[in-house]
Amino acid sequence: MIAFIIRRLLASLGVLIAVGLIAFVMFRYVGDPVNQMVGIETPAAEREALRQQLGLNEPVIVQASRFLLNAARFDFGISYQFRQPVSVMIGARLPATLELAIVASILSLLAGVPLGVYSALRRDSALAKLFQALSLVGISLPTFLTGILLIYLFSVTLGWLPSFGRGAVVPIGSWWTTGLLTMSGLKSLIMPAITLALFQMTLIMRLVRAEMLEVLRADYIRFARARGLSERAVHFHHALKNTLVPVMTVVGLQLGSIVAFSIITETVFAWPGMGQLFLQSIQNVDIPIMAAYLLFIAFLFVIINLVVDLLYVIVDPRLRAAVHGASG
Amino acid sequence: MTNPLLSVRDLRVEFATRRGPLVALDGVSLDIAAGEILGIVGESGAGKSLTGLAIIGLLDPPGHIAGGEIRLDGRRIDNLPAAEMRKLRGRRIGMIFQDPLTSLNPLLRIGDHLVETILAHSALTPKQARERAIALLSEVGIPAPEKRIDGYPHEFSGGMRQRVVIALALCGEPALVIADEPTTALDVSVQAQIIAVLKKLTRVHGAAVMLITHDMGVIAETADRVAVMYAGRIVEIGKVSEVVRAPLHPYARGLMAAIPTLEGRVARLAQIPGAMPRLSAIPRGCAFSPRCPEAFDRCRVERPPLLTVGDRSAACWLYDRGHAPAMTTEIVS
Ligand SMILES: Nc1ncnc2c1ncn2[C@@H]1O[C@H](COP(=O)(O)OP(=O)(O)O)[C@@H](O)[C@H]1O
Ligand code: SF4
Ligand SMILES: [Mg+2]
């Protein structure tokens, strides 16, 4: 088991180094860092001095290693536009994005899994068919449209919820701020979280439904029925567990993409998160921020993959055996 | 047979399709006495599994019972509400499926399966249920059951898994066990052992068995009576000794001629030229007539009912004395 974890960690590290190198290439070769940092009338000597200071004249290998080592310490250099350390800027935005993503994920799971189970178990009921039809809408409705519709309804027409921003936030420790502890923070969170969760929720619901229908056809389900077990035991003890094992991977990766998708939602609701920062950085060709964001997303997916793999091993005895057999 | 345990009369199973109902079983009638082993043989697709599933009430939609009746201890069970039928399953009627590899939930321990099933059918405490589970495992011949009970299905060989499956089917002490090709998916070397375990255990627990197989050798060694099925119908039913030694129906004769010898059990039974018709294209008259070496004009027009011939019945015009339309369609009792 330990060997398995170490192997997985090494593989994850490999992925991160690869993405880090891509980020480095972006940083070093998309435009000239020095040109980005200085004004047009800066004299050549000054540019050369800066070049020397940034180490841009050293061999590429040295530069790349330094870039990776710095990245490992969360040092992504200085934003071209804001003249601030990128790590500080991202750190300030991280709580907004993660809070939104986590709340949206929980929402999509809490709604998606039961809806999927219901649609599978009562697949011929009118309600299940309605859910199926609505889920198609949910999947095909673009996020910005959902957001704008919600804003129109609840902010413009009803005036119940704020249409932009994060509301009042409370600091927790020295680097985290939360909107979950204030009324205005919670109110501000509702619409962005629903907007972000809707697509994932419909996806999870459809996936759970399809997977559960498949599982319900399995021989062990039929045999469980033949033994006279209650429908409840058959559905929730035998079928649900087996449904959730394959669903786990997809859901995990979906949770990762919630963070990636949050760019649009953050823009619609002027949510002061990383997605907004990233969009600004693209407009301004602020490469250090873009590189840092890229690495952050890669890091997130790697972590999620790792957790999903470990969960698999914990849940599925066959994999557990394989892992034990392979590594003792 | 007076007061059979199970009595099936004119069972008809249909699949609802867009182009109307597809008749999969038609006029299936059979009796099973308490403690008896009834073999069911026939080519793949003859309707053996559907017969078993209809009896235990587990037909998957769009399949459904469209006619006839099924009685257990004289009480009709084919039209019971789902909750009532569920109470019978496991406790009065059990079923074992073909593939032990897929019959067990891969995420649950063997003991979880057994304890859950025992608790569903008794008022035992979990601890007592576990003791009973260990006893059952040892009965079906699992070595070191007190250890193996905590194993997962994938840790057991195919034969061992089918033993577990048999133990599971017996948890509720059913009066009838439907065993649908219990050894087909197993290695040839363990098939005989599993049949022996099944036979011994059902006798010890006093359960009757409906043994579905396409291995005539197994039927000859194990069953008391046998029903031969073809294209959704029973074409001959009677004592194994008679049906095997002197089959009446031309299809049954073909089957018996193909009984593999002890040395070479490889030969499969369908040695009769041609193939069974698809459900959507069952010929008028006798369904076997296109393949039957003895078919005559009447066979292609009129469908033969089960005709009583001595102690058994056969659905073949050859046994219609006087060649008049048969009025004697009662079942051998
Ligand atoms: N879901 C279904 N829809 C249509 N036909 C089916 C379905 N399930 C089984 N059948 C048909 O019913 C017939 C009998 O099947 P079955 O009882 O499984 O045969 P076997 O004797 O091999 O056990 C076959 O012709 C099969 O094609
Ligand atoms: S009824 Fe005719 S065709 Fe059918 S089995 Fe008998 S002889 Fe053959
Ligand atoms: Mg079958």
Side-chain angles (χ1 to χ4, degrees), chain B residues 13 15-17 22-25 40-53 60-63 98 180-181 212 214 229 231-232 276-279:
Chain B
V13 167
F15 288 94
T17 70
L22 202 61
V23 182
L25 292 184
I40 309 271
V41 284
E43 278 164 81
S44 177
K48 307 182 295 293
S49 299
L50 287 182
T51 306
L53 290 170
D60 288 322
Q98 182 166 338
D180 189 356
E181 310 209 24
I212 299 172
H214 49 231
M229 290 191 73
M276 205 168 60
R278 277 181 298 129
L279 293 184

Side-chain angles (χ1 to χ4, degrees), chain B residues 249-251 286-290 292-296 299 304 315-318:
Chain B
H249 195 281
Y251 176 68
C286 174
F288 189 57
S289 59
C292 181
E294 300 177 54
F296 50 102
C299 305
C316 173
W317 287 131
L318 292 177

Side-chain angles (χ1 to χ4, degrees), chain A residues 229-309:
Chain A
L229 299 185
S230 69
E231 283 299 286
R232 229 182 80 155
V234 171
H235 291 157
F236 297 107
H237 191 210
H238 288 267
L240 188 59
K241 240 184 174 176
N242 283 280
T243 301
L244 293 183
V245 171
V247 165
M248 223 158 55
T249 321
V250 183
V251 167
L253 294 180
Q254 282 307 314
L255 298 190
S257 63
I258 274 193
V259 172
F261 269 114
S262 74
I263 293 178
I264 300 168
T265 308
E266 289 185 6
T267 309
V268 171
F269 290 95
W271 189 260
M274 289 170 54
Q276 228 190 21
L277 183 68
F278 178 64
L279 272 193
Q280 283 172 16
S281 73
I282 291 179
Q283 278 155 14
N284 300 312
V285 202
D286 202 339
I287 303 288
I289 293 184
M290 289 162 65
Y293 187 76
L294 182 69
L295 267 172
F296 170 73
I297 295 291
F299 184 67
L300 195 72
F301 273 93
V302 162
I303 294 282
I304 287 173
N305 256 322
L306 205 62
V307 170
V308 167
D309 279 354

